[in-house]
Amino acid sequence: MSADPLVAVESLRVTARRAGRTYPIVEDVSFQIEAGSLLALVGESGCGKSLTAAALLGLLPWGLAIASGRIRLEGQDVLALAPAQWRRLRGRQVGAVFQNPLAALNPSLPIWKQVVESAQLAFGLDRPAARHRALELLERVGVPDAAQRLDDYPHQFSGGMRQRVAIAVALACNPRVLVADEPTTALDLITQAEILGLLNRLRLEQGLAVLFITHDLSLVAEYADQVLVMYAGRVVEQAEARRFFAGPRHPYSRALLGAIPRLATPEVRLTDIEGLPPNPLDYPSGCRFAPRCPRVIDRCRSEDPPPVGDERQRVFCQRPWAAEGI
Amino acid sequence: MSEPLLGLEALTLSFVQGAGGLLQRGRGRFTAVDGVSFGIGRGECLGLIGESGSGKTTLGRAVVQLIAPSGGQIRFDGTNLTALPPRALRVYRPRLQIVFQDPTESMNPRFTVEEIVTEPLRLLRLGARAEWRTRALRLLRQVGLTDAALSRPPGHFSGGQRQRIAIARALVTEPELIVLDEPTSGLDVSMQARILNLLRDLQGQFGLSYLFISHDVGAVSYLAARVAVLYRGVLVEIAPTRELIARPAHPYTAALLGALPQWVRGRDRAAPPSGAPPVSAAGPIGPGCPYAPRCPRALERCRAQRPERRAVGAAREVACHNPLDGAA
Amino acid sequence: MSEAAPRRWGFLPLLRWGAFGGRWRAQPLVASGLAVFLVLVAFAWLGPHLYTISPYAIHPHRLFRPPSARYPFGTDDLGRSFLARMMYGGQPSLGVAIVGSVVAMLIGLGYGMASGLSPPWVDKVLMRLLDALLALPTLVLMIFFAAIVPLGPLSLIVLLGLVSWPGLARIVRNEVLAYKERDYVLAARQYGARTAYLARKHLLRAMFPIVVVNATFTVADLILTLAGLSFLGLGIQPPTPSWGGLLGNGSNLAITGSWWLILFPGLAILLAILSLNLVGQGLLNRLEGR
């Protein structure tokens, strides 16, 4: 490893306060993302994946706070910074794209103003320079006829185009890190493929470190360098993507992957996961997946699952599946 | 072959565009579904694939008689439903059911689950009142919910559980055909899998016919033996699922399959088609093929003349002037 | 047969707090507002049973007495117990406003639902008519009616009810239009539900919270309107007391320095309006928070 990774999250713990008690919502999440690489953070709704991203973006909702852990951007411990400093650093270094581009864009401003708004704040561009920058960004994200569309409003764009504009907004300050939280969930299949391709191209061309959050493992099989699977606020498996897709070791990872229909094998029954994820205010002791796990043993319910495997594929489980040889 | 259970013949659904004022004449009409024909046999599941705005939801609602067609026929078990007066239609309503996309939207939040599931019986005056509750209970168990669910409001359940309640409601009238309008979108992957498995089990158990509407090609391939592809209201291709996946004939079908994540598509399948530029806005449909503006294989003829649907091979049809090889 | 009975009273769950999705304890705003308002209601209707001095008994030798143990609220220009007059005065002030608001809600709900469920052209005509009605200011309308109809509690209820429904009618109509396209209403239509069924089973329940919120604000409005009318001498006619009338009378006598004749009716009106607005706002927050 030549230098510090662009993003390093160490033992992140996010807690919620409710009626005088604190509840852990995200526990002991650690990962690193190098320049030009993509980490997929995967899990079902409520597993804490979006809150992990929100912590990184400094956008935790009211009532939630980072209780412990460290977040480093290019080696700098951002939680040790003064809030204003962190805000400025975040604005320039971290871009974000969310699920609903319409909610991310102001309906009453022409898009060029929105695309360069953050850059204007950061670098103080004048109007011609700002328009030029907006054009450059929109072309980079593949908006056709960008020069003619600078003065259009968000509602004049299709869903996929809006998401492209939202990506342009995120890239305005030349960030080195991009957080994409379910950026294609609201899009049609072909558009989804286009946006995924665009994100992939951008990270390769510009050396962006991408944190890609999704509930659908199939989306990231082609692009991810690392996969991190979360369940009920904890990491259950963390691995190099190649190894992960060759053979996930945690029963939950397996179930998630087995729940996706594949064209070649319609006769293979999809994996059923019985039950529901636990309530964050009332997590079970031991392994949190134990109540739904097909491989559960008594020890799972009493002891926290130990880490198994090495850096290239680590799984937190009493009875993981065997590693596939790669 | 005898007549299928459900048959659409040149079904057209169009609407007056814009907010209707007192003077509605002279306004443009928007055609959501344009001359669609297909049949669904007893016990068959037909998948209907389309992007948002393709008219697939409108079509599904027309099949269950929520929208009156502007042209064509909807035949069910040999009867043209579109010609029936409302009173006569009531006989057919229990036999045709629908599961809506969003289970939160499709149930009155102030009803209990019992009221929701038995509402069709109440409205259609089916069965004895005393049996309603037992029928509801039986179905709730069938879809994997406990008896305690009966007296609770839908707000107490997760999205996946609510969709199962919606399925129980659709089953309560013992239908022969159920329109499934994107029943799994908006759910987490694991919930999607459970709903798909449940639908597959129920189909086998009751010999149900499905019209499975979805934008999710993977889900459709899991349930449907045959697939119809809808693009901007026009049925561009219909074929047995295996053939369609192996050798798409219409360029749009090929683009859809190519856009699937590799994990779903499989490594050996066709790579994504290159060169199709993103279309910035959907303009009005010209006289030609609706897909022509985006189509990498478009010919001069495609823009001028709407391609007729024609048979290629035994059980498949495609509406294209320049279909991909292999199918022809 | 006994099984069928609960069905007929199926609207009863409407009255559950559950329509607002919570418990009373979780709503300090609503609970405190409601408590204050209930105290005022108890003051007006239960008070006279505990404090039995007549509000009409004139005592020429006890004029303008400030509050004391025997007359906690003092006496007025005719030596009548002001506490008794305040209690009796609360009955028409609150009663007329509450019943008038119920009348307005019923008309508004009916008109709004009818408009929303009618064919578009009927809806359009009904809404234009509503615009015309909304353009007329309530107070001016009341003054006009007051000039041609003999004023009493009953006629005031009818008049206030008749002038204060259009706002709700518009809200209900818009909500009905939105709800009509909800999937669950479509689902019911698919099972062959007729308009009357949709209105009764689905839409009425959905409208309930909006109507309750609106009713709360309307009662507050009507208390103020009524006080305004009485102040102008157009409301409840003397010698029957009403808070507005008492306040009007008190301010005419301000020159005598009898502060209690202004303070108590003013305070009562203020508390009534404030408490109802608290309740309404609390319920509204709850509705919109969902």
Side-chain angles (χ1 to χ4, degrees), chain B residues 20-22 61 64 66 87 90 93 96-98 100-102 104-112 114-115 119-120 122-125 129 132 169-170 173, chain C residues 3-4 7 10 16 18-19 120-121 124-125 179 181-194 197 201-203 205-209 287 290:
Chain B
L22 279 175
R61 291 184 177 186
V64 295
L66 278 173
R87 190 167 286 276
R90 284 177 75 86
R93 289 204 184 272
L96 266 167
Q97 286 290 338
I98 183 166
F100 291 94
Q101 171 176 355
D102 183 351
T104 312
E105 264 288 300
S106 70
M107 303 173 185
N108 192 329
R110 299 201 180 83
F111 276 25
T112 63
E114 181 178 3
E115 286 176 290
E119 189 182 37
R122 197 160 62 235
L123 280 169
L124 294 166
R125 302 203 183 85
R129 189 182 281 260
W132 289 355
R169 170 172 68 179
T173 60
Chain C
E3 275 234 20
R7 293 263 162 250
R16 281 188 310 220
W121 68 270
K124 215 143 225 153
V125 171
Y179 272 94
E181 296 306 315
R182 297 285 284 267
D183 282 349
Y184 66 78
V185 178
L186 284 180
R189 273 176 50 203
Q190 200 261 314
Y191 313 131
R194 286 155 218 244
Y197 173 90
K201 282 296 281 190
H202 287 288
L203 299 173
R205 288 198 199 196
M207 296 308 126
F208 172 69
L287 273 188
R290 287 214 288 165

Side-chain angles (χ1 to χ4, degrees), chain A residues 44-45 142 144 149 158 161 164 188-190 192-194 215-216 218-219 221-222 245 256-257 259-264 266-276 292, chain B residues 51-52 158 161 187-194 196-197 200-201 215 217-219 221-222 242 245 252 255-257 259-265 269 276 278-280 294:
Chain A
E44 293 176 275
S45 43
R149 308 214 62 183
S158 66
M161 280 305 136
R164 281 174 196 267
D188 279 321
L189 189 56
I190 293 179
Q192 166 174 293
E194 286 168 359
H215 70 281
D216 186 352
S218 68
L219 285 186
E222 285 155 79
F245 286 102
L256 267 190
L257 208 52
I260 301 166
R262 302 180 75 174
L263 296 192
E267 67 287 344
V268 175
R269 189 177 173 84
L270 302 176
T271 313
D272 274 313
I273 312 179
E274 295 297 324
L276 292 171
R292 303 172 74 187
Chain B
E51 295 176 311
S52 55
S158 73
Q161 288 173 323
L187 298 177
D188 275 318
V189 170
S190 67
M191 263 319 147
Q192 279 179 21
R194 291 182 74 180
L196 290 175
N197 283 340
R200 198 146 116 162
D201 295 345
H215 71 282
V217 182
S221 75
Y222 186 64
R242 275 179 185 280
I245 289 168
Y252 176 63
L256 273 182
L257 292 172
L260 283 172
Q262 209 177 59
W263 180 263
V264 175
R265 186 172 21 126
R269 308 245 175 244
V279 181
S280 48
R294 284 172 81 180

Side-chain angles (χ1 to χ4, degrees), chain B residues 8-309:
Chain B
L8 305 190
E9 284 164 29
L11 183 70
T12 298
L13 298 161
S14 62
F15 305 92
V16 175
Q17 209 156 22
L22 279 175
L23 301 167
Q24 288 186 335
R25 255 154 295 180
R27 279 170 191 271
R29 285 186 84 78
F30 165 74
T31 303
V33 173
D34 194 354
V36 168
S37 309
F38 60 71
I40 302 179
R42 267 181 206 284
E44 190 195 11
C45 173
L46 176 78
L48 183 65
I49 298 180
E51 295 176 311
S52 55
S54 63
K56 57 187 192 302
T57 292
T58 313
L59 190 147
R61 291 184 177 186
V63 167
V64 295
Q65 307 299 309
L66 278 173
I67 302 171
S70 5
Q73 289 192 358
I74 297 170
R75 300 181 71 81
F76 185 77
D77 202 12
T79 310
N80 179 13
L81 297 185
T82 49
L84 289 182
R87 190 167 286 276
L89 203 56
R90 284 177 75 86
V91 182
Y92 289 91
R93 289 204 184 272
R95 304 172 65 185
L96 266 167
Q97 286 290 338
I98 183 166
V99 174
F100 291 94
Q101 171 176 355
D102 183 351
T104 312
E105 264 288 300
S106 70
M107 303 173 185
N108 192 329
R110 299 201 180 83
F111 276 25
T112 63
V113 168
E114 181 178 3
E115 286 176 290
I116 288 167
V117 176
T118 57
E119 189 182 37
L121 299 175
R122 197 160 62 235
L123 280 169
L124 294 166
R125 302 203 183 85
L126 296 173
R129 189 182 281 260
E131 285 170 20
W132 289 355
R133 173 184 269 261
T134 33
R135 223 151 135 178
L137 265 179
R138 202 180 61 227
L139 285 167
L140 286 174
R141 282 185 209 140
Q142 199 120 38
V143 299
L145 289 159
T146 57
D147 297 2
L150 216 53
S151 57
R152 290 200 234 149
H156 283 199
F157 298 89
S158 73
Q161 288 173 323
R162 263 178 252 171
Q163 198 57 291
R164 281 185 266 164
I165 295 168
I167 292 170
R169 170 172 68 179
L171 288 172
V172 80
T173 60
E174 294 169 358
E176 289 150 67
L177 182 123
I178 303 182
V179 174
L180 303 162
D181 185 6
E182 301 248 22
T184 59
S185 71
L187 298 177
D188 275 318
V189 170
S190 67
M191 263 319 147
Q192 279 179 21
R194 291 182 74 180
I195 297 288
L196 290 175
N197 283 340
L198 174 68
L199 289 170
R200 198 146 116 162
D201 295 345
L202 291 170
Q203 191 192 11
Q205 201 171 342
F206 297 110
L208 293 166
S209 303
Y210 289 147
L211 173 59
F212 183 57
I213 299 171
S214 180
H215 71 282
D216 183 347
V217 182
V220 168
S221 75
Y222 186 64
L223 271 190
R226 250 177 354 124
V227 180
V229 182
L230 202 62
Y231 183 76
R232 296 189 73 180
V234 177
L235 209 158
V236 295
E237 182 165 8
I238 182 165
T241 312
R242 275 179 185 280
E243 285 182 42
L244 185 109
I245 289 168
R247 283 171 283 116
H250 198 281
Y252 176 63
T253 315
L256 273 182
L257 292 172
L260 283 172
Q262 209 177 59
W263 180 263
V264 175
R265 186 172 21 126
R267 265 173 222 288
D268 48 331
R269 308 245 175 244
S274 59
V279 181
S280 48
I285 299 177
C289 171
Y291 189 57
R294 284 172 81 180
C295 184
R297 297 171 61 85
L299 309 170
E300 206 50 54
R301 203 170 141 215
C302 295
R303 286 180 239 283
Q305 189 195 346
R306 176 75 56 91
E308 292 292 321
R309 217 165 92 190

Side-chain angles (χ1 to χ4, degrees), chain A residues 212-231:
Chain A
F212 191 95
I213 293 159
T214 181
H215 70 281
D216 186 352
L217 271 169
S218 68
L219 285 186
V220 291
E222 285 155 79
Y223 301 117
D225 299 297
Q226 298 174 74
V227 176
L228 192 154
V229 181
M230 284 182 75
Y231 183 79

Side-chain angles (χ1 to χ4, degrees), chain A residues 8 47 71 77 79 95 112 141 158 199 208 227 229 233 239 247 311 319:
Chain A
C47 74
I71 298 173
D77 183 352
L79 297 182
W112 78 268
V141 297
S158 66
L199 286 174
L208 285 172
V227 176
V229 181
E311 219 165 78
R319 258 186 95 200

